[in-house]
């Protein structure tokens, strides 16, 4: 693993412990709320357990903070990486990773619109996983027209016609992972499921 990635992952545990203590929550209370075992949470905070999406998603919901705040990659990553926003299709993309090939991470912001936009579905090669941080996302996926509130996630093959927009005209913030064709982000977690026996990537 890249040393810079190691540094980011190592910092997650300290950030989670500080956040829990600031909120005055015990490990037992957190385990009961998230469905993640107390021993797993303890090892995650001490750095003995690697942070994964299946562990971070229920924690982000419980603390009511954006998932990228838990990871903190923009603040603790390689200082040579300048997170310059990219504007495309009327949206703002903030790159959270720079490594060539493999999965790419972005924070995506859909600006507020005075009037609803007409969906213009597009297709391209790849696979996408998204998580709604704030706002209400309208996701048109093939024949399906979905509304995703904060905390909801979706994954899909981008060869299927798709379009992202605001469901109510307000600002929408997303965390997006985009991979090459055939690559998927495997999320196996729920708010009432213990993660200590789950599969790891």
């Amino acid at each position: 693993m890249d040393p810079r990635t190691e540094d980011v992952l190592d910092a997650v545990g300290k950030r989670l412990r500080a956040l829990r203590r600031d909120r005055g929550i015990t490990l037992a209370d957190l385990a009961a709320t998230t469905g993640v075992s107390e021993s797993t949470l303890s090892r995650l905070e001490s750095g003995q357990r690697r942070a994964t999406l299946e562990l971070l998603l229920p924690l982000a919901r419980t603390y009511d903070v954006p998932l990228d705040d838990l990871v903190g990659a923009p603040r603790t990553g390689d200082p040579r990486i300048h997170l310059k926003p990219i504007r495309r299709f009327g949206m703002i993309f903030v790159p959270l990773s720079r490594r060539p090939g493999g999965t790419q991470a972005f924070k995506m912001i859909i600006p507020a619109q005075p009037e609803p936009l007409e969906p213009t579905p597009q297709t391209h090669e790849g696979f996408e996983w998204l998580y709604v941080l704030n706002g209400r996302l309208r996701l048109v996926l093939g024949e399906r027209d979905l509304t995703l509130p904060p905390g909801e996630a979706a994954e899909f093959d981008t060869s299927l016609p798709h379009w992202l927009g605001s469901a109510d005209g307000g600002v929408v913030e997303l965390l997006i992972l985009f991979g090459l064709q055939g690559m998927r982000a495997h999320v196996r977690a729920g708010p009432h499921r213990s993660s200590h026996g789950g599969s790891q990537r």
Side-chain angles (χ1 to χ4, degrees):
M1 183 180 294
D2 189 299
R4 291 167 293 183
T5 303
E6 290 270 7
D7 290 342
V8 171
L9 292 176
D10 288 343
V12 171
K14 297 176 183 178
R15 187 174 295 106
L16 290 174
R17 176 174 291 171
L19 183 58
R20 179 176 59 80
R21 289 178 174 175
D22 286 345
R23 300 289 179 91
I25 302 174
T26 66
L27 281 173
D29 291 339
L30 189 59
T33 304
T34 62
V36 180
S37 72
E38 190 173 342
S39 62
T40 296
L41 291 170
S42 178
R43 287 187 287 125
L44 181 62
E45 289 187 358
S46 66
Q48 297 175 7
R49 178 70 175 265
R50 284 297 187 198
T52 62
L53 282 174
E54 67 176 322
L55 294 175
L56 293 180
L57 283 175
L59 289 171
R61 294 191 190 105
T62 298
Y63 290 132
D64 192 25
V65 297
L67 186 62
D68 51 349
D69 276 8
L70 295 184
V71 178
R75 291 184 292 275
T76 60
D78 187 345
R80 294 172 296 175
I81 297 177
H82 300 285
L83 302 176
K84 183 178 181 181
I86 302 169
R87 295 178 180 271
R88 291 179 182 170
F89 315 114
M91 304 176 188
I92 301 170
F93 297 83
V94 182
L96 303 179
S97 61
R98 289 293 192 188
R99 100 184 146 84
T103 303
Q104 302 294 323
F106 298 88
K107 182 172 183 179
M108 175 178 168
I109 301 171
I110 302 175
Q113 298 288 341
E115 296 182 5
L117 296 178
E118 186 67 25
T120 54
Q122 305 289 329
T123 63
H124 53 86
E125 290 191 0
F127 201 89
E128 191 166 301
W129 180 93
L130 61 83
Y131 177 83
V132 183
L133 299 170
N134 293 296
R136 292 172 59 81
L137 174 71
R138 181 183 179 189
L139 171 62
V140 176
L141 190 59
E143 299 298 320
R144 304 174 67 187
D145 196 332
L146 309 170
T147 297
L148 279 66
E152 290 290 319
E155 59 177 349
F156 53 90
D157 189 324
T158 54
S159 63
L160 186 67
H162 59 282
W163 179 84
L164 307 178
S166 174
D168 54 14
V171 176
V172 183
E173 297 182 37
L174 314 167
L175 181 65
I176 291 181
L177 299 179
F178 177 75
L180 302 176
Q181 200 71 27
M183 296 180 65
R184 300 185 61 170
H186 298 287
V187 181
R188 299 185 178 92
H192 303 296
R193 175 181 173 185
S194 176
S195 304
H196 61 83
S199 60
Q200 302 295 320
R201 295 194 68 192

